[in-house]
Amino acid sequence: MTKKALIVGASGIVGSATAKVLGDDGWQVLGLSRTPQQQTNVTPVAADLLDPASLSKALAGLDPSHVFISSWLRQSTEAENIRVNSSMVRNVLDALSPAGSVKHVALVTGLKHYLGPFENYGKGALPQTPFREEQGRLEVDNFYYAQEDEVFAAAARDGFTWSVHRPHTIVGKAVGNAMNMGTTLAVYAAICKHTGRPFRFPGVEMQWEGLTDMTSANLLARHLLWASTTPGAANGEFNVVNGDVFRWKWMWSRIAAWFELEPATFDGTVQPLEKQMAEDAAIWREIAERHNLAEPDMNRLVSPWHTDADLGRPIEVVTDMSKSRRLGFLEYQPTDDAFFDLFEDLRANRLIP
């Protein structure tokens, strides 16, 4: 089997983890983005996903056997999310089509498949948890569905197999990422420690008391590799989570202890991080200067709006992994360990003190 991967969104949380897993497995890795970053064992490919001519020129002669798509651009409305993000998928696959080299395309979406897009997130008639792949699509517009449809159409045209991967909130490292709970909480903890402010859980009581799960970027990357090379997983849609469940009232104390903080008592009051951290950019610059950190711009590290959306949901979110387990994917990652591994990595790369 030819092992030549094109990762669309190679510098993001999912893309960078996937590049490492594939590289360690002996793959040749091409990393596509508009402004590629320096990555170990990744050949950069610069192109604009919304510019078909740019893509055709950049991808000519590269002939990847496998394509991993984990890139999206947040827009102001779901209609715009659909237009822009489906175009990016279509443009990449159209540019690759003439060479006929692609054997498999793996698309990363997420649990908004079951929970609805940002405009209708966690509202209306939702499927019962734990979420299972056979529960299908909601009766609402969703850019995840539009991206899937582009993959399905290209597969029917070009004859490659596909897989769709639906992680829950992803724990992993990437600077400038739009959905980055782990780094957001690490920066928030560092600010609380620096200022002496209480380390307050920002969400609702349902998330504090209810069960939830998450997805390690490294486990997701291994799931992508598994599905892309396992014949029985071809043309499948898969949930992918760590395999454990937890309550935030337990996890919050675990995270606090790692940063040597005493967690504030949760009294049921919602205190969103977007509000708590609204004036913290100058404080972060002070912390960065004091500790010689690599990124003094707090807004390149945090995404409070996304963390608030997750921790503000009025429902439990638990995900079933039986489909992957039955087909042989048995990997497991305790979520507290995933957080701790991330925090160590952030510290080693001078992103947090």
Side-chain angles (χ1 to χ4, degrees), residues 5 34 42 73 82 123 178 185-186 190 243-244 250 276 286 307 318 347:
R34 182 158 46 185
V42 176
L73 289 172
I82 290 169
K123 301 175 183 176
L185 294 181
D244 64 342
W250 176 81
Q276 289 193 55
E286 178 184 324
T307 300
V318 183
R347 184 167 283 173

Side-chain angles (χ1 to χ4, degrees), residues 171 214-216 219 222 241-246 250-251 254 331-341:
V171 182
M214 292 183 74
T215 305
S216 159
L219 182 138
R222 296 193 294 273
V241 288
N242 290 337
D244 64 342
V245 295
F246 63 90
W250 176 81
M251 186 66 76
R254 296 282 287 159
E331 299 211 29
Y332 165 78
Q333 170 69 66
T335 300
D336 53 342
D337 285 352
F339 273 119
F340 301 158
D341 289 347

Side-chain angles (χ1 to χ4, degrees), residues 4 6 10 39 61 84 142 146 149 253 274 278 294 320:
K4 188 176 185 181
L6 174 70
Q39 293 175 271
V84 170
N142 190 323
D149 288 342
S253 65
E274 198 159 26
D320 183 74

